[in-house]
Amino acid sequence: MAKAADYGLGPETFPRGWFIVAESSELDAGPMAVRYFGRDLALYRGQSGRPVLLDAYCAHMGTHLTASKSAVIVRSGAQIEGDSIRCPYHAWRYGPDGHVDDIPYHDGPCPKSASIRSYPVRDVMGCVMMWFDPAGGEPEFEPPFIAAWNDPKAVHWKLDHLGMIDIHNIEILDNMADVRHLGPTHGAPCEYFENEFRDHLVIQRQGGFIGFYNTHLHTATWYTGPGLLLSKQAFADTVMFELIANTPVEDGVTKAWHAVFMMGKNAPPSAEDIAAQQAAQAGALEAFGTDFEIWKNKRSAIKVMQLKTDGPFNSVRKWVGSFYQPRDQGQALREQMNGVQAVHNFPQPPRSYQEQGFESDMFGSLS
Ligand code: FES
Ligand SMILES: [Fe+2]
């Protein structure tokens, strides 16, 4: 399976960014042992509700902090203390910052060398997200947030867990530029298309008349960093947001999730509103499933054999590559790239969508 270095994305093996590591409801059920970015991680929710993500192994003797279900300290509910966690082996206590602050059988200060790495985590729209930076830096930007999520009529999604796929996430991100697959793969050939690069966002606007459904479709899709796609889609009298998330598990292996969020007609949403959201998510999953099937079975495209009339795959890859480079260089690269890019000999979207405020509820972030 092709790896980051094969694609020449940058010096790092894994990119900076926000990435889903669990669904919030999974974490409500108790501490989780997870693996992303080629490392074992311990995820738990503190008593304040705060999610905490640490490197998995206790410095004392290497015990996985969240993989024991049978230790008495776990079974008795004493493992989590405030927002700290005790190791199931000898009960050393780790704070959410990864420092040991209590050893039950030791007087005096705890060894500083016992500290393990703690990662920034956010609970956003039913998803637990981590900030990953190979250099251990603080977040460069915040995760995306759709303001309507807090509206009393909002019908919240439950994630489709798509599992692991033996493909580097660059091949999933290629989709942002892929104007020419919309007809053959999805039966929705577009009449207009463009990409825009905007710092840590890459945007795709496309749409047209879909004969098969006898309706006009307009979509505006954006990645916030390389791990989180949201797509606003309007057709007939439906407006919805689709989520497609990818998180590297190993170099060249990716885990993916999918969901759809929309507004109901009632506050709180009625059974009918919920059924409509579930139907929309199932329909979107079917459409996305066709991409997923292709990704599962394709060989790696180390280089795209790009035609002039393809979408700008190479630009999207360059943008993705910026997250595999040291932060300053990555930011400088993205600043150079900022702007709209059209497809050769292909119409761009009518500006009226933007003028009418179609994008006014996009690009929000957790504040
Ligand atoms: S191995 Fe964790 S406290 Fe001993
Ligand atoms: Fe697609």
Side-chain angles (χ1 to χ4, degrees):
M1 204 39 58
K3 298 188 162 34
D6 299 322
Y7 295 94
L9 291 169
E12 299 295 352
T13 304
F14 295 112
R16 279 186 308 286
W18 286 101
F19 296 89
I20 292 184
V21 291
E23 189 162 8
S24 303
S25 58
E26 289 178 282
L27 189 56
D28 294 340
M32 297 170 70
V34 297
R35 184 174 172 83
Y36 296 104
F37 300 98
R39 47 198 92 192
D40 292 317
L41 300 163
L43 179 64
Y44 66 93
R45 202 184 280 292
Q47 284 169 339
S48 72
R50 166 185 177 180
V52 178
L53 185 68
L54 304 174
D55 272 341
Y57 298 114
C58 177
H60 181 215
M61 286 174 65
T63 297
H64 195 305
L65 294 176
T66 52
S68 170
K69 302 285 172 237
S70 58
V72 167
I73 190 171
V74 176
R75 280 191 287 141
S76 65
Q79 190 186 19
I80 308 294
E81 268 181 34
D83 287 345
S84 301
I85 188 167
R86 286 198 184 269
C87 175
Y89 215 8
H90 315 96
W92 291 23
R93 188 175 69 192
Y94 285 87
D97 54 6
H99 300 308
V100 173
D101 61 4
D102 185 64
I103 298 175
Y105 54 91
H106 169 76
D107 293 328
C110 299
K112 286 210 167 46
S113 58
S115 298
I116 54 178
R117 185 165 164 191
S118 162
Y119 300 83
V121 190
R122 308 271 189 274
D123 221 323
V124 197
M125 299 188 290
C127 308
V128 181
M129 297 181 186
M130 76 179 282
W131 170 258
F132 183 77
D133 178 348
E138 288 300 304
E140 266 179 283
F141 50 89
E142 282 298 307
F145 183 71
I146 302 163
W149 185 266
N150 290 333
D151 190 294
K153 289 182 182 168
V155 187
H156 292 161
W157 56 40
K158 290 190 180 63
L159 302 184
D160 298 312
H161 293 246
L162 304 180
M164 297 223 273
I165 177 170
D166 273 338
I167 197 164
H168 193 279
N169 63 348
I170 189 75
E171 307 249 0
I172 298 176
L173 281 129
D174 280 342
N175 225 231
M176 281 305 274
D178 199 352
V179 59
R180 301 295 178 180
H181 90 294
L182 296 167
T185 306
H186 300 298
C190 60
E191 294 167 0
Y192 52 82
F193 188 98
E194 73 181 15
N195 287 116
E196 182 187 342
F197 298 89
R198 195 188 285 179
D199 302 316
H200 63 276
L201 309 178
V202 60
I203 302 161
Q204 176 205 77
R205 305 183 177 95
Q206 67 90 27
F209 188 76
I210 312 298
F212 190 65
Y213 296 106
N214 195 29
T215 185
H216 189 95
L217 170 74
H218 180 74
T219 78
T221 302
W222 75 107
Y223 264 95
T224 306
L228 296 164
L229 172 150
L230 287 166
S231 178
K232 183 177 178 182
Q233 311 182 352
F235 51 94
D237 57 356
T238 300
V239 177
M240 62 183 220
F241 286 93
E242 185 174 21
L243 166 79
I244 297 172
N246 76 80
T247 307
V249 176
E250 312 287 347
D251 189 6
V253 180
T254 305
K255 203 166 184 177
W257 297 261
H258 172 268
V260 163
F261 163 65
M262 55 195 259
M263 301 299 284
K265 294 193 169 67
N266 307 281
S270 65
E272 232 170 86
D273 293 334
I274 293 166
Q277 181 275 337
Q278 286 170 345
Q281 182 161 327
L285 179 61
E286 199 181 324
F288 179 57
T290 58
D291 289 297
F292 211 68
E293 184 191 45
I294 287 173
W295 297 334
K296 263 190 179 155
N297 295 296
K298 77 192 291 298
R299 69 150 170 79
S300 309
I302 300 294
K303 287 255 175 298
V304 178
M305 194 174 146
Q306 166 132 29
L307 299 180
K308 208 171 172 186
T309 42
D310 268 324
F313 291 113
N314 293 338
S315 298
V316 166
R317 286 190 171 197
K318 197 168 151 189
W319 178 87
V320 175
S322 75
F323 297 98
Y324 287 78
Q325 293 170 17
R327 185 179 291 229
D328 294 355
Q329 283 172 37
Q331 277 173 356
L333 178 63
R334 291 197 295 276
E335 271 167 35
Q336 277 169 29
M337 292 189 72
N338 276 344
V340 170
Q341 212 167 319
V343 178
H344 183 71
N345 271 345
F346 202 86
Q348 286 178 259
R351 286 294 138 212
S352 53
Y353 283 105
Q354 281 161 283
E355 283 155 15
Q356 288 160 17
F358 187 84
E359 297 180 9
S360 60
D361 55 356
M362 293 171 48
F363 317 126
S365 63
L366 199 67
S367 51

